[in-house]
Amino acid sequence: MEIGFDSFGSAVVDETTGKVLHAEKSMTDLLDRIVHADRMGIDVFGMGEHHRPDYFDSSPVTILAAAAARTERIRLTSAVTVLSAADPVRVFQSFATLDLIAKGRAEMVVGRGSFIDAFPLFGYDMKDYNELFTEKLDLLLKIRDNERVTWSGRFRPTLSDQPVYPRPSQDPFPIWLGVGGTPASFARAGTLGLPLMVAVIGGETHRFRPLIDLYRKSWTEAGHDPAGMKVGLHSLGYVAENTNQAVEDFYPGHTRTMNKIGRERGWRPQSRPHFDAQRGPLGALLVGGPEEVAEKILRHSEALGGIDRLTLQMDSAELTHEQRLRAIELIGKEVAPRVKAG
């Protein structure tokens, strides 16, 4: 199993003025963490995409390219590319260029994102939510698989035998489908023969097993090579020296972040008992000491019928740069070896 971490490039925002503070330092620290992850043997790093003041990741490929120039082994991916609000031609060109810079270490995870900020920003209508993604994914895959493309659709001008350059180092270029909890999305990934990245940020992870089984069934029925089937799991988490320290570090900031998002979406406030349940044996949170987190990852993998990639996202907890560096070190030196040993 590959072990990695994702980031949204958390910004420090003054709660009174709403202004972003220490922007240059935050970006420098983020790149330093990716370099540190590469040195610690972490397999993959994913950069999210948002268009809001809380995060610096509105241009993830720029960040990934800067990381590619400073790293040697770690795979670099989006997490996720909000394809519905983007031009698939430009998306492919950007990631193909990244792949050349990274010498074949780039990937992308495409999805519709967990926020809708990109839709009004780029002039798209939410009523076209499903149709936009379906059409643009179709075009992106055609561009990946063909140097010259003839295509027509509703939301973009027609392409007539149009070449798309540059071509990436990898052929085919890895494109994962990022999904939440919609059965149709799991079935689509299987039917198209795309690796699956499942975002589980709450609830009980094992409850996603029927959806992952649907992905596997759809893959088989479509006649794809079983060797290409991959399942990834994206979870919120954090690793410290021991469980008590991890909870003490993670809980306050995570609760503030989740309650802030909750106010936007009408969720009930998160309580400590709810947090403890999520951190428990069946809950989605991967928060604890190295041994505890490694054991929980293996339990999740078994419950889901086996996973090929696990990425942790620590940004929700407002951790310091030093805390995140230490967590990356513990994941690379202690968690990953335990997981890979099975």
Side-chain angles (χ1 to χ4, degrees), residues 50-325:
H50 298 82
H51 302 272
R52 48 192 294 128
D54 316 66
Y55 307 117
F56 285 117
D57 61 347
S58 63
S59 181
V61 178
T62 306
I63 298 171
L64 293 172
R70 295 179 56 190
T71 56
E72 298 179 357
R73 193 193 62 84
I74 194 169
R75 296 194 67 79
L76 301 166
T77 183
S78 57
V80 301
T81 295
V82 184
L83 188 61
S84 304
D87 180 354
V89 175
R90 294 297 288 160
V91 168
F92 182 83
Q93 290 175 322
S94 296
F95 277 88
T97 303
L98 170 64
D99 201 42
L100 296 174
I101 296 170
K103 298 181 174 63
R105 291 183 287 127
E107 300 180 359
M108 71 173 90
V109 180
V110 298
R112 288 177 280 198
S114 59
F115 293 89
I116 62 170
D117 309 73
F119 284 82
L121 181 62
F122 296 109
Y124 292 102
D125 195 323
M126 280 298 297
K127 70 179 178 60
D128 299 320
Y129 186 79
N130 292 319
E131 291 80 1
L132 277 164
F133 185 74
T134 300
E135 179 177 299
K136 293 189 175 193
L137 179 59
D138 175 67
L139 176 54
L140 179 65
L141 295 177
K142 280 186 169 57
I143 296 169
R144 180 190 68 171
D145 297 338
N146 301 278
E147 186 172 325
R148 306 188 74 89
V149 180
T150 296
W151 177 92
S152 63
R154 176 184 167 198
F155 299 102
R156 192 201 186 281
T158 295
L159 296 173
S160 180
D161 193 33
Q162 181 68 48
V164 179
Y165 301 113
R167 306 307 296 180
S169 294
Q170 300 172 89
D171 184 18
F173 182 81
I175 298 176
W176 295 60
L177 190 63
V179 300
T182 306
S185 297
F186 287 78
R188 175 190 284 128
T191 299
L192 294 175
L194 298 177
L196 181 76
M197 178 56 71
V198 187
V200 182
I201 61 172
E204 296 178 334
T205 301
H206 71 276
R207 294 184 180 276
F208 281 76
R209 177 63 183 268
L211 293 171
I212 292 175
D213 285 346
L214 174 60
Y215 163 71
R216 294 178 173 128
K217 180 175 182 288
S218 300
W219 181 290
T220 301
E221 290 179 346
H224 300 299
D225 183 355
M229 190 187 309
K230 291 183 180 179
V231 175
L233 178 63
H234 162 92
S235 298
L236 304 182
Y238 172 65
V239 180
E241 307 292 341
N242 56 66
T243 297
N244 289 338
Q245 187 64 57
V247 171
E248 182 180 330
D249 293 346
F250 190 86
Y251 173 72
H254 173 72
T255 299
R256 282 192 294 271
T257 298
M258 298 307 289
N259 286 342
K260 179 180 179 181
I261 296 172
R263 287 191 293 273
E264 296 177 11
R265 301 187 178 187
W267 298 345
R268 291 195 305 179
Q270 177 176 265
S271 64
R272 181 56 187 264
H274 178 266
F275 172 82
D276 289 338
Q278 289 293 292
R279 200 188 60 76
L282 300 179
L285 287 178
L286 296 170
V287 177
E291 185 174 1
E292 179 185 8
V293 170
E295 290 175 353
K296 191 169 183 180
I297 291 171
L298 290 172
R299 286 200 305 274
H300 283 345
S301 180
E302 182 179 3
L304 297 176
I307 59 176
D308 303 282
R309 175 179 290 182
L310 183 286
T311 57
L312 281 173
Q313 202 267 93
M314 297 183 279
D315 285 2
S316 67
E318 302 176 358
L319 299 162
T320 67
H321 177 54
E322 290 71 26
Q323 286 172 325
R324 298 185 212 201
L325 288 174

Side-chain angles (χ1 to χ4, degrees), residues 15-31:
E15 295 296 332
T16 302
T17 66
K19 292 184 177 180
V20 174
L21 306 175
H22 319 301
E24 291 182 1
K25 184 179 188 306
S26 294
M27 185 62 73
T28 297
D29 287 349
L30 172 61
L31 291 170

